[in-house]
Amino acid sequence: MTTSPTVSRATAVAARATDLSKVYGHGETQVVALDHVTVDFRQGEFTAIMGPSGSGKSTLMHCVAGLDSFSSGSVRIGETELSTLKDKHLTQLRRDKIGFIFQAFNLLPTLTAMENITLPMDIAGRKADKQWVQQVIDMLGLSGRLGHRPTELSGGQQQRVA
Ligand SMILES: Nc1ncnc2c1ncn2[C@@H]1O[C@H](COP(=O)(O)OP(=O)(O)OP(=O)(O)O)[C@@H](O)[C@H]1O
Ligand SMILES: [Mg+2]
């Protein structure tokens, strides 16, 4: 019997949180947003996080993406343990390995849709693969809106730009 490639790919872990806790604030206003969460996100799969409003979904994603600090536990992206990284390397890892669509899309209001799309590459000083960018834009149905600013886009269009 041959080994199925999908089986071996599915076992690789893209990101992992172990015993992760995140506490906001102190004393009476303290909020335990994550309470010892352990979860694997595997390569080549979609993972949905579901739960009531305020249960910590966004907090978990922010911590696993290296966008926010956590109180205890650990987070790994691939083989890299985030707590070992200095700010500069964390920034590089986020830029190279992580795409993030925020709940509030966080587009830059003064930039056009196109400029928002290429912003991470522009900051990194890299040239975008024009064909690939065009393919993604076509796939998302944004080609007629590239010169518009975020306030001139619908919610769905802003989401797809993000
Ligand atoms: N900066 C903050 N300071 C204090 N408490 C916070 C902060 N951000 C989030 N919280 C609290 O942490 C808890 C988890 O918030 P989070 O945004 O992760 O929830 P969520 O599951 O994404 O909710 P929703 O479905 O409404 O987006 C909530 O009780 C929230 O009020
Ligand atoms: Mg949320």
Side-chain angles (χ1 to χ4, degrees):
M1 215 167 76
T2 54
T3 313
S4 160
T6 40
V7 170
S8 53
R9 191 154 37 109
T11 56
V13 174
R16 165 175 288 164
T18 309
D19 210 17
L20 189 66
S21 292
K22 169 78 179 175
V23 181
Y24 291 109
H26 306 276
E28 274 182 23
T29 59
Q30 178 174 295
V31 176
V32 181
L34 299 176
D35 192 4
H36 301 280
V37 175
T38 296
V39 61
D40 282 356
F41 299 96
R42 296 183 178 280
Q43 281 182 14
E45 292 182 3
F46 287 102
T47 303
I49 306 169
M50 297 187 285
S53 179
S55 62
K57 305 178 295 292
S58 291
T59 304
L60 175 63
M61 289 177 65
H62 292 160
C63 290
V64 172
L67 291 164
D68 202 355
S69 62
F70 39 92
S71 308
S72 65
S74 83
V75 173
R76 293 180 75 148
I77 302 285
E79 296 300 307
T80 309
E81 170 64 51
L82 294 197
S83 59
T84 65
L85 297 181
K86 295 257 191 309
D87 213 37
K88 187 179 163 197
H89 289 117
L90 193 55
T91 302
Q92 279 169 351
L93 178 107
R94 273 198 305 260
R95 200 159 59 198
D96 293 340
K97 303 270 189 208
I98 297 166
F100 208 100
I101 300 173
F102 291 94
Q103 193 162 9
F105 307 124
N106 286 355
L107 300 176
L108 291 191
T110 55
L111 301 184
T112 64
M114 186 61 175
E115 288 164 344
N116 269 288
I117 289 169
T118 58
L119 184 64
M121 287 172 281
D122 294 337
I123 290 172
R126 285 190 210 130
K127 278 263 170 287
D129 177 339
K130 279 198 182 137
Q131 249 187 320
W132 168 240
V133 171
Q134 194 54 51
Q135 196 181 328
V136 172
I137 287 167
D138 290 343
M139 197 162 63
L140 296 173
L142 289 170
S143 26
R145 289 289 176 277
L146 294 177
H148 293 250
R149 295 186 205 288
T151 53
E152 302 160 346
L153 299 172
S154 74
Q157 286 164 346
Q158 290 177 50
Q159 183 177 33
R160 298 199 296 284
V161 168

